[in-house]
Amino acid sequence: MHFTRKVTDDLIWVGANDRRLAMFEGVYSVPGGVSYNSYLLLDEKTVLFDAVDKAVSHRFFENVAFALDGRQLDYFIIHHMEPDHTAVLNELLLRYPEVKIVCNAKTQTMIKQFFDLDIDAEIVKENDTLNTGRHLLQFIMAPMVHWPEVMMTYDSTDKILFSADGFGTFGALNGAIFADEVDFNADYMNEARRYYANIVGKYGTQVQAVLNKTIALDIEKICPLHGFVWRKNLSDIISKYVLWSTYQPEENGVMIAYASVYGNTENAAEILAGMLRSKGIKTVMFDVSVTPASEVIASAFKWSHLVFASTTYNAGIFVSMEDLVNDLVAHNIQNRTVAVIENGSWAATSGGLIRGKLEKCKNINILEQTVSIKSGLKPSQLADLEAVADAIAAGFPEPAAGAIPISANPTASEENKNGTAAPIDNGAIYKLSYGLFILTARDGEKDNGCIINTAIQITSKPPRISIAAIKANYTHDMIKKTGEFNISILSTDAPFSVFEHFGFHSGRDTDKFENCTSDDRTANGIKYIPKYTNSVISGKVVDAYDYGTHTLFVADITEAFVLSNESSVTYQYYFDNIKPKPKPQIEKKKGFVCKICGYVYEGDPLPDDFICPICKHGAIDFEPVK
Ligand code: FEO
């Protein structure tokens, strides 16, 4: 018997769940099962987006036949050739011999490799489109999110992104289809993180590239190949992808992974955890011989500080710890502070070997403080362990001298006791009359800035404002460290390029003021933006609140002046008048334009290592000429 669910009036989920699979890809345990999502579009033409694993082929074909209701299948779009989405290709072609496969050239090659089939496919490239009647489908290449042939499709008619492995989640759907039908944050976010970190965690740069491509699209729904469809609160998952793909931690806290044969290394790890807890620092602990590596890796993507405690084994790292560290290096872990503890009854080597592996990763700060145990921790070594705890604590933002104290979110634990609330509609939130601002800060000689949409006056006596800054932003970290910032209020003459320049790139990787000819600063020494803005306000932070992905800074106004009489940009104005609308039809010309400065490279393809001769941005910042 079929089991389908409607995503929209003419888009039907025809996938299937597998709760008997022990190990996804033969590596990742899936105790909650996994879904293989496939979607059928019933337009003037019928379109099947991806298929399923052979384990659930029977249910899938029942679903497709039911949803087609006697119509022929016109198109089969393959976003990803991994067999969990294509294993049934032969049977699909037997059942629907008239179907036209739509895929890119790399996929066609893989079809030959996997099935030895010479397919007369419709080959599509970046931004090619397919008109199916009412719907216009635009193809977006997403190489290495998870395999090189991966692509996504944007349905500009119903504003749906078919995101392939992107935004996927482990876990069977259990009757639900939409993320808002379950308590996603409580019940599934860990599995979304585990899926991301292990499946595409290595490819953060490529994920960033796709996020940058889709940022100009008006997306109302995301349909991934695994897990739930997103139709509400898309920012919940997109903000996580921004953090994960830039290897920024989600939370300040310490993940302690230990490998212990007879419990002595575990004992040291646990004492360290207690020392950290008594300093008010969150801790999680994993016995890496027991906990699946995929869970530990996911946790490493979440927390800011990592501790590895391992016994020595065969003159090396204990096997389960060695596997874990190798896995973390392979998954490109970055931007973490690490402490190492070793144990060895006669020749401890594990600590140095772990260090050697992690030193190859980008921006990993390995603390000098360490503990080398001989068989069991001695009372005389407690001071060494405390030194490790102190060194870790020193890296936490509060309440070290000069740093801004972070208060607990005062309302986060309060529950709505007024019965069932209506689900949160982002449309209502967008109606708030937000402005848009360039938030700037300075740390030493480094200037940086980013776009924010939340800056409001709180009191006039004293003059005080609040701003919310996303933790992934470098500007956020600078403000937390220095306690000072400027906001330049954007005016309606600001072009989209200003939003791209300050909003779509990280100051960690680029100098956003590199090509700036002027050096306008307020009395606090921080830059402000004199063009396309109408006012500048300087703030000195007096309080800060941790709200998960954001910090809310409350600041005294120390300086404020008007630059022009242009109206301020509101969020609504930005969407109506500045943000480019999705193009209904993409013209095909050969060439690529730099999104930063407009330089045009004539030719196709654009070499991967191409550097813009004008603004020095790489190929990632180019898009096909439209
Ligand atoms: Fe679900 Fe990369 O495949």
Side-chain angles (χ1 to χ4, degrees):
M1 177 71 182
H2 65 270
F3 171 67
T4 63
R5 293 268 323 254
K6 273 192 167 189
V7 178
T8 65
D9 283 345
D10 57 4
L11 184 69
I12 303 171
W13 179 86
V14 293
N17 294 290
D18 185 352
R19 298 178 186 81
R20 288 196 165 184
L21 182 67
M23 302 297 272
F24 183 78
E25 293 186 357
V27 184
Y28 309 114
S29 54
V30 279
V34 65
S35 76
Y36 305 105
N37 296 340
S38 171
Y39 306 90
L40 182 70
L41 179 65
L42 297 172
D43 201 358
E44 287 173 25
K45 298 288 185 183
T46 59
V47 184
L48 185 66
F49 297 91
D50 301 297
V52 299
D53 189 80
K54 60 182 180 302
V56 293
S57 63
H58 181 72
R59 186 71 61 247
F60 166 70
F61 283 116
E62 278 186 316
N63 289 348
V64 173
F66 170 76
L68 279 171
D69 193 22
R71 292 184 63 180
Q72 83 166 29
L73 181 60
D74 296 309
Y75 294 111
F76 177 46
I77 296 178
I78 302 177
H79 290 118
H80 183 16
M81 265 307 289
E82 197 164 4
D84 54 333
H85 310 292
T86 59
V88 298
L89 180 61
N90 268 324
E91 186 173 348
L92 187 85
L93 295 175
L94 285 171
R95 287 173 181 259
Y96 302 101
E98 71 284 0
V99 72
K100 184 80 174 173
I101 290 178
V102 180
C103 65
N104 59 44
K106 285 184 189 141
T107 294
Q108 190 181 38
T109 302
M110 286 193 181
I111 291 173
K112 176 76 176 164
Q113 289 173 198
F114 275 107
F115 298 98
D116 204 17
L117 287 173
D118 290 307
I119 297 283
D120 177 26
E122 183 163 334
I123 301 300
V124 295
K125 303 185 297 301
E126 184 80 38
N127 284 336
D128 280 354
T129 56
L130 176 67
N131 194 327
T132 62
R134 191 175 78 85
H135 293 258
L136 185 68
L137 307 177
Q138 177 184 338
F139 301 102
I140 300 164
M141 300 303 126
M144 299 319 297
V145 184
H146 160 220
W147 281 16
E149 86 297 354
V150 170
M151 67 178 194
M152 300 180 180
T153 295
Y154 176 61
D155 176 351
S156 57
T157 306
D158 281 351
K159 300 174 179 160
I160 298 174
L161 180 68
F162 294 91
S163 61
D165 273 349
F167 306 105
T169 308
F170 285 135
L173 300 179
N174 304 332
I177 178 76
F178 300 105
D180 56 275
E181 293 181 300
V182 298
D183 188 343
F184 192 90
N185 283 319
D187 298 333
Y188 288 95
M189 190 56 88
N190 280 346
E191 286 298 79
R193 183 186 303 105
R194 190 165 69 94
Y195 179 87
Y196 175 88
N198 289 281
I199 304 296
V200 286
K202 180 181 177 66
Y203 304 110
T205 305
Q206 290 83 352
V207 173
Q208 277 283 300
V210 175
L211 288 174
N212 283 338
K213 283 192 216 178
T214 55
I215 211 157
L217 301 175
D218 188 4
I219 297 170
E220 290 184 354
K221 292 184 182 67
I222 298 175
C223 291
L225 286 177
H226 301 285
F228 299 97
V229 171
W230 289 86
R231 64 178 173 183
K232 294 179 181 172
N233 307 327
L234 271 60
S235 60
D236 284 3
I237 192 70
I238 292 173
S239 62
K240 293 290 185 187
Y241 265 63
V242 170
L243 290 174
W244 296 338
S245 63
T246 53
Y247 303 96
Q248 297 303 320
E250 292 168 68
E251 286 197 44
N252 286 322
V254 184
M255 183 204 85
I256 302 174
Y258 66 89
S260 187
V261 179
Y262 295 107
N264 292 310
T265 309
E266 177 186 27
N267 174 240
E270 195 142 40
I271 293 170
L272 175 66
M275 290 172 171
L276 292 167
R277 279 284 172 179
S278 61
K279 295 176 189 296
I281 294 170
K282 291 180 188 171
T283 53
V284 293
M285 292 184 68
F286 297 103
D287 182 335
V288 301
S289 300
V290 175
T291 308
S294 65
E295 289 184 27
V296 188
I297 286 168
S299 184
F301 269 67
K302 176 176 180 178
W303 298 101
S304 59
H305 290 62
L306 312 177
V307 174
F308 300 95
S310 177
T311 190
T312 301
Y313 202 74
N314 287 336
I317 307 168
F318 189 75
V319 57
S320 53
M321 179 62 80
E322 184 165 30
D323 288 349
L324 172 71
V325 175
N326 286 342
D327 248 6
L328 275 170
V329 173
H331 284 83
N332 225 350
I333 191 74
Q334 300 174 22
N335 305 321
R336 296 296 190 276
T337 297
V338 168
V340 177
I341 296 171
E342 67 179 2
N343 195 350
S345 292
W346 58 94
T349 60
S350 53
L353 293 169
I354 291 171
R355 279 172 179 271
K357 289 177 184 291
L358 291 173
E359 277 167 359
K360 295 175 191 146
C361 299
K362 200 171 162 189
N363 200 19
I364 294 284
N365 171 31
I366 305 180
L367 297 173
E368 283 177 16
Q369 291 80 1
T370 186
V371 182
S372 186
I373 303 164
K374 269 198 183 321
S375 304
L377 191 74
K378 304 295 178 294
S380 60
Q381 291 184 296
L382 283 174
D384 295 340
L385 207 53
E386 190 75 51
V388 174
D390 286 343
I392 291 171
F396 276 67
E398 76 282 20
I404 306 303
I406 305 289
S407 310
N409 173 353
T411 57
S413 61
E414 289 181 15
E415 293 177 3
N416 180 357
K417 297 185 173 62
N418 299 323
T420 307
I424 293 170
D425 180 348
N426 278 340
I429 295 169
Y430 294 152
K431 297 290 184 198
L432 286 169
S433 53
Y434 293 112
L436 283 161
F437 317 93
I438 299 178
L439 174 67
T440 47
R442 178 179 174 85
D443 180 11
E445 293 306 305
K446 175 75 176 175
D447 295 297
N448 196 41
C450 66
I451 301 277
I452 62 167
N453 68 349
T454 44
I456 56 170
Q457 182 181 0
I458 300 176
T459 57
S460 56
K461 289 181 184 173
R464 195 164 267 181
I465 59 171
S466 73
I467 60 163
I470 193 163
K471 288 178 178 173
N473 281 349
Y474 185 35
T475 314
H476 165 276
D477 294 351
M478 294 168 111
I479 296 170
K480 207 157 75 173
K481 184 173 175 188
T482 64
E484 293 195 289
F485 63 84
N486 284 343
I487 55 169
S488 302
I489 302 174
L490 284 156
S491 47
T492 50
D493 55 344
F496 184 62
S497 58
V498 172
F499 295 84
E500 282 185 300
H501 185 69
F502 283 100
F504 300 173
H505 305 278
S506 170
R508 294 178 209 279
D509 314 318
T510 57
D511 178 358
K512 296 186 184 180
F513 292 99
E514 187 181 16
N515 298 314
C516 197
T517 50
S518 62
D519 188 29
D520 300 282
R521 297 179 187 272
T522 48
N524 58 14
I526 298 174
K527 274 184 180 283
Y528 67 90
I529 313 302
K531 198 171 178 192
Y532 305 127
T533 58
N534 59 24
S535 298
V536 177
I537 297 173
S538 300
K540 188 167 181 54
V541 176
V542 295
D543 211 345
Y545 296 91
D546 186 340
Y547 281 92
T549 56
H550 290 65
T551 298
L552 184 73
F553 294 105
V554 177
D556 281 339
I557 296 174
T558 57
E559 187 176 358
F561 52 89
V562 173
L563 292 167
S564 83
N565 290 323
E566 286 283 340
S567 300
S568 300
V569 170
T570 64
Y571 213 46
Q572 185 76 46
Y573 185 91
Y574 168 75
F575 277 111
D576 291 346
N577 299 288
I578 298 177
K579 185 179 176 184
K581 302 281 184 292
K583 309 271 186 302
Q585 191 73 41
I586 307 297
E587 285 180 34
K588 294 171 190 171
K589 289 181 188 173
K590 291 199 170 176
F592 293 81
V593 61
C594 176
K595 290 184 285 184
I596 309 301
C597 68
Y599 172 82
V600 175
Y601 171 88
E602 291 183 14
D604 190 6
L606 178 72
D608 290 343
D609 57 355
F610 187 75
I611 303 290
C612 177
I614 306 295
C615 69
K616 310 301 181 203
H617 282 76
I620 196 172
D621 287 315
F622 279 70
E623 61 184 5
V625 171
K626 296 172 184 169

